[in-house]
Amino acid sequence: MGGTVPPESPGIVARVTIDSAPFPVTLRWAVRLLWAEAAVVGLIAVWLIWADLTATTTDLLSALLVTVFAIGAAVVLWALGRALLRLQAGARAPAIVLQLMLLPIGWFMIQAGLAWLGVPLMALGLGVGWLLVSPPTTRALGFE
């Protein structure tokens, strides 16, 4: 069959162009920030494990519960970022809820005199939440 169709001819099928940006920048940044949050919470979990092992006196059950909660939070943040990377729409709502949970945490940090940490934490929660509900992200996840 070689040479039967001229190279400049499109043949019977028209050329198909693939959209080069089906994955919006807003969603890409939301995933990156979710993974950054997962990494930070993971580092906190590692520190908690070290603190649990080196503490002289502790309430073992409470220490283990806090450590397991931190590990679970890191895993959930990472998994939600991965699901959003695969354009799974069901991951958006839990990710938004976790971002909204940063607001009261940041508020209580401000009240405790840690405004240098509370304000950026609240801004992070609002920023990632906005990225997750922005129109490009909404379209990419099939909500429009």
Side-chain angles (χ1 to χ4, degrees):
M1 297 263 339
T4 57
V5 178
E8 65 276 348
S9 170
I12 58 171
V13 179
R15 289 207 167 124
V16 177
T17 58
I18 298 173
D19 187 9
S20 61
F23 201 79
V25 174
T26 54
L27 185 55
R28 189 174 306 126
W29 273 103
V31 168
R32 287 176 185 161
L33 291 171
L34 283 171
W35 283 349
E37 290 175 18
V40 170
V41 174
L43 289 174
I44 292 170
V46 168
W47 178 79
L48 285 170
I49 292 169
W50 177 80
D52 292 345
L53 295 174
T54 60
T56 55
T57 59
T58 184
D59 178 10
L60 183 61
L61 180 61
S62 296
L64 290 176
L65 286 175
V66 170
T67 304
V68 168
F69 182 80
I71 293 168
V75 168
V76 167
L77 284 166
W78 189 268
L80 287 172
R82 192 139 166 84
L84 287 169
L85 189 63
R86 294 179 178 172
L87 298 176
Q88 294 177 346
R92 185 171 84 155
I96 292 170
V97 169
L98 287 178
Q99 298 312 301
L100 291 176
M101 287 175 65
L102 292 177
L103 299 178
I105 294 169
W107 176 256
F108 284 111
M109 285 181 156
I110 292 169
Q111 296 299 313
L114 296 171
W116 62 272
L117 185 57
V119 171
L121 203 60
M122 291 175 76
L124 176 67
L126 289 172
V128 175
W130 178 82
L131 288 171
L132 289 170
V133 298
S134 65
T137 300
T138 301
R139 276 191 301 276
L141 293 175
F143 287 113
E144 275 187 10

